[in-house]
Amino acid sequence: MQENDRDLLPEGLGDRLPQQAWASQTVRRAAHDVLASHGYARVETPVLEFEKALAHRMAGVQVRRMFRFVDPVSMRMLALRSDITAQVARIAATGLAQAPRPLRLSYSGQVVTIKGDGLDPARERLQLGAELVGADSTEAVAEIVELAIEALRAAGATGVSVDFTLPDLVDTLSAGALPLPSMNIEAVRQMLDAKDAGGLVDAGGEAYLPLLYAVGPFDSAIEQLAAFDVGGVLASRIAALRAIAARVGGKARLTLDPSERHGFEYQSWFGFTIYADGVPGSLGRGGTYSILGQTGRNPESATGFSLYPDPLIESLSAAAGEERRLFLPLGHDREVASRQRAIGWVTVAALSEADDALALGCSHKLEGGEAVAL
Amino acid sequence: MQENDRDLLPEGLGDRLPQQAWASQTVRRAAHDVLASHGYARVETPVLEFEKALAHRMAGVQVRRMFRFVDPVSMRMLALRSDITAQVARIAATGLAQAPRPLRLSYSGQVVTIKGDGLDPARERLQLGAELVGADSTEAVAEIVELAIEALRAAGATGVSVDFTLPDLVDTLSAGALPLPSMNIEAVRQMLDAKDAGGLVDAGGEAYLPLLYAVGPFDSAIEQLAAFDVGGVLASRIAALRAIAARVGGKARLTLDPSERHGFEYQSWFGFTIYADGVPGSLGRGGTYSILGQTGRNPESATGFSLYPDPLIESLSAAAGEERRLFLPLGHDREVASRQRAIGWVTVAALSEADDALALGCSHKLEGGEAVAL
């Protein structure tokens, strides 16, 4: 190994230098302020815990994507958290089991996976979200979708769009109007997800073909879905989607992709993905789900979203403006300097005669008690 | 294993429920705002990286206290960070090697160790700090000590006190006025650290006995140290300590313990520990140190501090006040609600007729466009 090798960071792990870290702080503060103003109380969770506890509360948590190792203290397997939602579900089911419902919680923190996700090599990401525990109604979904949009806009995202989906659509239809042999259900799901009409027919899902056209801008796609739903099995869901769209449509572009499944492994009747202009890929997703209770307690319904704002942070950091920095010469009046900070200046104190105000990024210098432009 | 075992968190790892998480956010924001106002730019570092990189930059980093495991991607050893200072040193020596000096950086994040520290079983802690890279002068130290005090006070600490130490005191004295056989140096250090007069004599350190009395309130202890320093080997350090005390003495109680070593394994000429009223144990420490450069580059001097604010967060969370929470009945005017949030209300929207404003912690209810006390 070369000496310099020691400085390399592992693949998919990186630092945020000042501009990126500034953008990261800005995004987190703005989003949390929005969540707090809607009554979502912040919780914080450990970066590692028992593997079993992380995997236990929700379907679809992929243990094999987590870093796992033996705890020398307990001799049990620990894992680095790859999803904070599962930890918040644990808190809701244990420490806050007795808190009144609906319970509104928010969180943010770093999550880690062994490998990156698809084309994105990152193994560590910021996750920031909100969970509304004890409700998965149309009202709950509307609040959560609206909150996700508002949090992203406050964090600096523009041109937000939201794609709605119905994660258990095939289950619902095949149990009702459009029965399928149970051995074909998974294949039909996959072909719908892949938008593969030929494959759908081969899987015995001809009757599901119209779903491939109920995709796109919300207003037209929901009409296609309603026309397809001749038996009315989906009527309550379609009405719910329309109500949610009416509530949030003024704040974001809406689309519908009723059979999209990727990323919604633990969602129940509703799911959504959120995007913003100029930011590659999605910024997060959410929906309704179920939290397993303590032994002997029933599962609890919940609605929530998780944002992964790293691409937004990258795009905002490129646009970071210059701050007003005031150079304080050696022997400056410390009271005056303190007053300048109180009115918003960032001050940079000289430590020796060699310190160069311009090199240190200062736009002004304290002279005779005043900030003078350099 | 019992079913409920799955919910237990590993020893030394825990959640922060809403009051604690609120206090944690308050502390971090207040401290970072102080650091930013003094020109310290925030950086963020990964929660894990190559073990060698974490251990390499600074003396005294204890690899065996870190969680370590093989990275399935690189097949090299990774470690969870146990100290962010070493990561910031890496950034200063690599990504920001060309940035002008002095370089001011700040950071915060969770750090993890395999075992707790002494009586404290916690294995995960919040670390928050500032590093002034390229300077370890009296001016640099004064800025860093003052900043640590100001950050803690802004975060809500009261009755802050600071204990100064001279980490390389025995090396300096034994190389000068009070020579020691090299085989005795470590024993003398240990006996001074333990305040063990008998042991000190046994270790051949009789001449060092007066140091045991140069301890306590700064003004008297520094006089003892000056009286002891008949040869003047310590004259420049004593002058520096007096200058630093003059600068920060108005903001904190100051004490001196010149031969304290614990926790200062990588400090050079100056170290300090910081405390606050009503908070058990210390809240952090800092001092001057050296950052190893890239191959072929010289080490760089630096000054910094690390706070571990968890005990402060605990004490502040107990004092968390009630917030003003406004209940929004079903069918409320959404524009009015938005205006109420804009003027500082936390709103809690009803999702169904069953939602109970009082149970949900609301003090007021929106009625006829007004906030009415419940």
Side-chain angles (χ1 to χ4, degrees):
Chain A
M1 192 177 72
Q2 296 227 331
E3 189 79 359
N4 275 3
D5 248 357
R6 291 177 181 166
D7 297 318
L8 293 177
L9 284 167
E11 183 184 325
L13 298 170
D15 300 311
R16 287 200 223 272
L17 297 185
Q19 281 198 325
Q20 282 81 24
W22 167 85
S24 169
Q25 173 180 296
T26 303
V27 164
R28 281 178 285 130
R29 287 191 180 191
H32 273 294
D33 285 347
V34 165
L35 302 184
S37 76
H38 287 267
Y40 285 73
R42 191 162 180 170
V43 291
E44 293 178 17
T45 61
V47 298
L48 74 172
E49 53 176 282
F50 291 132
E51 172 192 8
K52 284 215 165 71
L54 285 172
H56 166 62
R57 293 262 159 234
M58 292 154 71
V61 173
Q62 293 179 295
V63 172
R64 69 191 153 71
R65 294 195 65 213
M66 298 181 196
F67 279 103
R68 284 164 291 162
F69 39 86
V70 173
D71 178 11
V73 172
S74 65
M75 299 305 280
R76 289 172 57 188
M77 286 298 280
L78 301 182
L80 290 184
R81 66 181 179 197
S82 63
D83 178 12
I84 301 175
T85 306
Q87 298 184 298
V88 175
R90 174 178 51 69
I91 292 176
T94 58
L96 295 178
Q98 305 307 321
R101 269 44 178 175
L103 176 64
R104 290 170 167 91
L105 299 174
S106 69
Y107 63 83
S108 65
Q110 298 299 118
V111 293
V112 180
T113 50
I114 287 186
K115 299 204 183 212
D117 190 5
L119 292 175
D120 179 4
R123 299 201 277 171
E124 183 179 18
R125 296 194 293 174
L126 172 62
Q127 182 182 3
L128 186 157
E131 309 297 336
L132 179 47
V133 179
D136 65 353
S137 62
T138 305
E139 276 293 319
V141 168
E143 174 167 313
I144 282 292
V145 175
E146 194 169 24
L147 203 53
I149 297 168
E150 198 181 322
L152 276 182
R153 285 168 52 153
T158 55
V160 174
S161 64
V162 180
D163 190 32
F164 293 165
T165 187
L166 293 171
D168 66 359
L169 180 67
V170 173
D171 298 318
T172 307
L173 289 171
S174 65
L178 302 176
L180 285 171
S182 62
M183 61 183 290
N184 288 25
I185 292 181
E186 183 54 28
V188 167
R189 279 203 203 103
Q190 285 178 11
M191 293 306 134
L192 281 170
D193 195 37
K195 312 275 182 288
D196 181 343
L200 188 55
V201 172
D202 292 347
E206 298 91 333
Y208 287 74
L209 277 172
L211 284 176
L212 295 182
Y213 303 94
V215 169
F218 182 82
D219 290 340
S220 54
I222 196 78
E223 293 304 328
Q224 296 274 355
L225 188 63
F228 164 73
D229 183 40
V230 282
V233 181
L234 301 177
S236 66
R237 286 167 197 228
I238 290 169
L241 289 176
R242 290 193 203 270
I244 297 160
R247 170 107 161 247
V248 303
K251 296 179 173 172
R253 239 177 6 254
L254 302 182
T255 55
L256 179 66
D257 186 350
S259 58
E260 167 79 22
R261 288 172 66 225
H262 179 71
F264 296 99
E265 289 78 6
Y266 57 60
Q267 253 75 32
S268 54
W269 74 270
F270 177 83
F272 69 101
T273 311
I274 192 160
Y275 304 87
D277 281 351
V279 176
S282 77
L283 280 169
R285 55 183 179 270
T288 58
Y289 61 97
S290 205
I291 298 176
L292 300 183
Q294 289 292 79
T295 312
R297 293 183 59 148
N298 290 329
E300 193 167 19
S301 57
T303 312
F305 67 81
S306 292
L307 301 177
Y308 298 92
D310 287 359
L312 177 64
I313 289 167
E314 277 306 308
S315 82
L316 292 176
S317 67
E322 286 295 297
E323 56 183 7
R324 291 171 6 131
R325 286 164 73 95
L326 176 63
F327 185 75
L328 306 174
L330 280 181
H332 64 272
D333 183 325
R334 312 185 58 73
E335 281 304 311
V336 172
S338 171
R339 284 200 297 275
Q340 299 289 348
R341 282 190 295 273
I343 61 169
W345 282 99
V346 167
T347 64
V348 178
L351 300 176
S352 78
E353 290 294 351
D355 289 1
D356 179 338
L358 285 173
L360 293 172
C362 295
S363 55
H364 292 68
K365 177 179 179 174
L366 189 66
E367 224 174 73
E370 302 277 327
V372 179
L374 283 171
Chain B
M1 191 177 69
Q2 298 228 331
E3 189 79 358
N4 275 3
D5 247 357
R6 290 179 181 164
D7 297 317
L8 293 177
L9 283 167
E11 183 184 324
L13 297 170
D15 300 311
R16 287 200 223 271
L17 296 185
Q19 282 199 325
Q20 283 81 25
W22 168 85
S24 169
Q25 174 180 296
T26 303
V27 164
R28 282 177 285 129
R29 286 192 179 189
H32 274 295
D33 285 347
V34 165
L35 302 184
S37 76
H38 286 267
Y40 285 73
R42 191 161 180 171
V43 291
E44 292 178 18
T45 61
V47 297
L48 74 172
E49 53 176 283
F50 291 131
E51 172 192 8
K52 284 216 163 72
L54 285 171
H56 166 61
R57 293 263 157 234
M58 293 155 70
V61 174
Q62 293 179 295
V63 171
R64 71 192 152 73
R65 294 196 64 215
M66 299 181 197
F67 280 104
R68 285 164 291 163
F69 40 86
V70 174
D71 178 10
V73 172
S74 64
M75 300 304 282
R76 289 171 58 187
M77 287 298 280
L78 301 181
L80 289 184
R81 66 181 179 196
S82 63
D83 178 13
I84 301 176
T85 306
Q87 298 185 298
V88 175
R90 173 179 52 68
I91 291 176
T94 58
L96 295 178
Q98 305 306 321
R101 265 48 175 174
L103 174 65
R104 290 171 168 90
L105 299 175
S106 69
Y107 64 85
S108 66
Q110 299 299 117
V111 293
V112 180
T113 50
I114 286 186
K115 300 204 182 210
D117 190 5
L119 292 176
D120 180 4
R123 300 200 277 171
E124 182 179 19
R125 296 194 292 173
L126 172 62
Q127 183 182 1
L128 186 158
E131 309 297 336
L132 178 47
V133 179
D136 66 353
S137 62
T138 305
E139 277 293 319
V141 167
E143 174 167 314
I144 281 293
V145 174
E146 194 169 22
L147 202 54
I149 297 168
E150 198 181 322
L152 275 183
R153 286 168 53 155
T158 55
V160 174
S161 65
V162 180
D163 190 32
F164 293 166
T165 187
L166 293 170
D168 65 359
L169 180 67
V170 173
D171 297 319
T172 306
L173 289 170
S174 66
L178 302 177
L180 285 172
S182 61
M183 59 183 293
N184 289 25
I185 291 181
E186 184 52 29
V188 167
R189 278 203 203 104
Q190 285 178 12
M191 294 305 134
L192 282 169
D193 195 35
K195 311 276 181 289
D196 180 343
L200 188 56
V201 172
D202 292 346
E206 299 91 332
Y208 287 73
L209 277 173
L211 283 177
L212 296 182
Y213 303 94
V215 169
F218 182 81
D219 290 340
S220 54
I222 196 78
E223 293 303 328
Q224 297 274 357
L225 188 63
F228 164 72
D229 182 40
V230 284
V233 181
L234 302 177
S236 67
R237 284 165 198 230
I238 291 170
L241 288 176
R242 289 193 202 270
I244 297 160
R247 170 108 160 246
V248 303
K251 297 179 173 172
R253 243 182 357 260
L254 302 182
T255 56
L256 179 66
D257 186 350
S259 58
E260 167 79 23
R261 287 172 66 225
H262 179 71
F264 297 99
E265 290 77 7
Y266 57 61
Q267 255 74 33
S268 55
W269 74 270
F270 177 83
F272 69 102
T273 310
I274 192 159
Y275 304 87
D277 280 352
V279 176
S282 76
L283 279 169
R285 54 182 181 270
T288 58
Y289 61 98
S290 205
I291 298 175
L292 299 183
Q294 290 291 79
T295 313
R297 293 183 59 149
N298 290 330
E300 192 167 20
S301 57
T303 312
F305 68 81
S306 292
L307 302 177
Y308 298 92
D310 287 359
L312 177 63
I313 289 167
E314 277 306 309
S315 82
L316 292 176
S317 67
E322 286 295 295
E323 56 183 8
R324 291 170 8 130
R325 285 163 74 93
L326 176 63
F327 185 74
L328 307 174
L330 280 181
H332 65 271
D333 182 326
R334 311 185 56 74
E335 280 305 310
V336 171
S338 171
R339 284 200 298 274
Q340 299 289 348
R341 282 189 294 273
I343 62 169
W345 282 98
V346 167
T347 64
V348 178
L351 300 177
S352 78
E353 290 294 352
D355 289 1
D356 178 339
L358 285 172
L360 293 172
C362 294
S363 54
H364 291 68
K365 177 180 179 175
L366 190 65
E367 224 173 74
E370 301 278 326
V372 179
L374 284 170

